[in-house]
Amino acid sequence: MNRLYNFCAGPAALPEAVLFKAQNELLDWQQRGLSVMEMSHRSAEFVSIAETAEADLRELMGISEDYAVLFLQGGATQQFSAVPLNLLNGKSRANYVNTGQWSKKAIQEAGRYCDVNVVASSENDHFSSIPAFNSWEVDEEAAYLHYTPNETIGGVEFFWTPEVSMPLVADMSSTILSRPIEVDKFGVIYAGAQKNIGPSGLTIVIVRKDLLGHAESMTPAMLNYQVHADAGSMSNTPPAYGWYMAGLVFQWIKQAGGLTAIAEMNQRKANKLYHFIDTNDFYANPVELASRSSMNVPFTLADDALDKAFLTQSEAAGLLNLKGHRSVGGMRASIYNAVSEDAVDALLAFMADFAQRNG
Ligand SMILES: *Cc1c(COP(=O)(O)O)cnc(C)c1O
């Protein structure tokens, strides 16, 4: 076995301890004679896996009983439709903040269901900053406000929470569980699992219970939060194995000391990487200092003709998936929870060496 350092934006690295545990339990989960993949989702065994995972997530994030926690399929992208269908509640307008490629996709999809009020956009700035809150043009009558706390592609992250009078909706796919947040400030939080939670195929939705029960009448049952909340996310077959894997990841985070400890580690990793980029003329990161993502770090080389060599050589050095998103080019290192400080150190050593040889 030869596991390399993986900087993929998603599906992303998983904690090795979690993979070992899953391997150990793969064929025969806790002496029940079958794997989790082969269990009825209604069985006592799977229900205990599901309930433990939910309880651990609630404990880690401090999610109160005022919220339902849903374990769904369809990815974060499906939530781009589910959010307006569940939250418009008879209104025809919703507020959206446009800070990058994922915001844009959410806006585009919401446009099928309502009039989208783009309260602020950093598109003219090539999505390298977050528009100051006092410049936002929030429609106070709109049903909700949606934003993307971490733009996975542009590497732009909010380190503050917008204070608005309507339900706040956040696509936290690439920032959830990276640090503590105040769940009570949000109406809906959703996240595809494949960045910081587990394998792809699972999507977590955390929804304030007073927002349930108002879905548009034509909402497909599978997009209706109330249907899933009433059925404990088992209205149909849930993404059972992903749910189990997420549960193992939650236990791993608890053992690591919870979100405060995880956040400290993430901050150290990100600081090291940005400090290196800022102090080495060969590399650059375009994002304004206050909004640099602690999870996704895009960077460019002094000469993009060297991009190919960088990627070939970094891969040969055991550093996988550093290619930037096709829409922005350059490089991107995603340093989610499961990417160790050792991985970041190995990346920095390679970057220093590459710059010296090519600078
Ligand atoms: C990855 C990602 C998505 C898309 O997630 P899917 O699960 O592939 O639908 C949406 N938003 C953000 C912020 C992401 O990082």
Side-chain angles (χ1 to χ4, degrees):
M1 189 180 69
N2 179 29
R3 284 182 56 78
L4 305 176
Y5 291 129
N6 182 10
F7 298 93
C8 193
L14 284 163
E16 212 160 81
V18 165
L19 294 173
F20 273 123
K21 172 109 174 147
Q23 181 185 48
N24 227 299
E25 298 184 328
L26 185 67
L27 291 162
D28 180 7
W29 183 81
Q30 301 196 357
Q31 282 89 56
R32 298 306 204 283
L34 76 178
S35 85
V36 174
M37 278 180 270
E38 304 163 300
M39 282 176 188
S40 164
H41 56 291
R42 315 257 179 223
S43 65
E45 286 84 358
F46 187 75
V47 168
S48 81
I49 290 171
E51 288 178 351
T52 304
E54 179 177 333
D56 284 342
L57 181 63
R58 283 183 182 275
E59 184 186 329
L60 282 170
M61 292 183 68
I63 304 169
S64 77
E65 284 305 317
D66 295 342
Y67 290 79
V69 179
L70 312 178
F71 291 77
L72 309 177
Q73 307 197 30
T77 304
Q78 183 158 281
Q79 295 307 311
F80 296 165
S81 315
V83 164
L85 284 166
N86 283 276
L87 299 192
L88 281 170
N89 194 8
K91 295 195 172 183
S92 57
R93 221 159 186 238
N95 294 307
Y96 277 74
V97 187
N98 182 17
T99 51
Q101 304 298 335
W102 289 115
S103 293
K104 278 177 79 163
K105 290 207 166 157
I107 288 167
Q108 191 182 15
E109 196 63 18
R112 297 175 185 276
Y113 307 101
C114 64
D115 175 21
V116 173
N117 176 45
V118 177
V119 305
S121 173
S122 54
E123 189 153 16
N124 287 338
D125 188 26
H126 304 289
F127 294 128
S128 63
S129 63
I130 291 172
F133 187 57
N134 61 15
S135 73
W136 293 16
E137 292 176 4
V138 177
D139 180 343
E140 297 296 331
E141 298 304 312
Y144 60 89
L145 185 139
H146 178 284
Y147 80 118
T148 311
N150 184 59
E151 288 283 357
T152 320
I153 293 171
V156 174
E157 183 166 0
F158 284 73
F159 292 98
W160 49 279
T161 308
E163 300 279 350
V164 289
S165 57
M166 67 276 310
L168 184 61
V169 180
D171 173 1
M172 292 208 185
S173 295
S174 52
T175 178
I176 194 166
L177 296 173
S178 69
R179 56 190 164 93
I181 56 155
E182 286 178 82
V183 172
D184 288 345
K185 291 192 169 174
F186 296 88
V188 176
I189 292 169
Y190 63 90
Q194 67 273 20
K195 281 76 186 238
N196 246 349
I197 297 173
S200 63
L202 168 71
T203 309
I204 289 184
V205 178
I206 302 164
V207 51
R208 215 172 59 216
K209 286 177 181 167
D210 64 285
L211 298 172
L212 298 171
H214 305 293
E216 306 283 306
S217 61
M218 52 58 161
T219 303
M222 286 298 96
L223 298 193
N224 189 325
Y225 294 154
Q226 171 94 66
V227 168
H228 291 297
D230 286 349
S233 305
M234 295 198 195
S235 168
N236 69 331
T237 314
Y241 199 73
W243 194 335
Y244 156 78
M245 288 288 288
L248 297 185
V249 171
F250 302 154
Q251 280 171 21
W252 174 79
I253 296 175
K254 281 174 68 173
Q255 277 158 19
L259 294 190
T260 307
I262 287 280
E264 277 171 24
M265 183 192 70
N266 285 331
Q267 208 49 58
R268 259 200 326 271
K269 282 153 44 186
N271 286 348
K272 261 187 191 177
L273 191 42
Y274 285 116
H275 177 75
F276 176 82
I277 290 169
D278 288 344
T279 52
N280 191 309
D281 288 345
F282 190 78
Y283 299 102
N285 167 280
V287 180
E288 65 174 354
L289 293 185
S291 309
R292 284 172 156 186
S293 170
S294 59
M295 292 285 103
N296 310 97
V297 182
F299 60 92
T300 53
L301 313 187
D303 176 1
D304 63 14
L306 291 165
D307 284 4
K308 240 190 160 131
F310 184 95
L311 287 167
T312 316
Q313 292 172 29
S314 56
E315 195 173 317
L319 309 166
L320 305 181
N321 292 310
L322 286 165
K323 194 174 181 357
H325 189 267
R326 57 190 183 279
S327 67
V328 292
M331 306 300 150
R332 172 176 49 170
S334 293
I335 49 173
Y336 299 116
N337 291 349
V339 177
S340 66
E341 209 163 334
D342 286 349
V344 173
D345 290 340
L347 172 61
L348 293 182
F350 172 81
M351 287 171 74
D353 180 58
F354 188 88
Q356 194 158 40
R357 285 186 285 111
N358 297 279

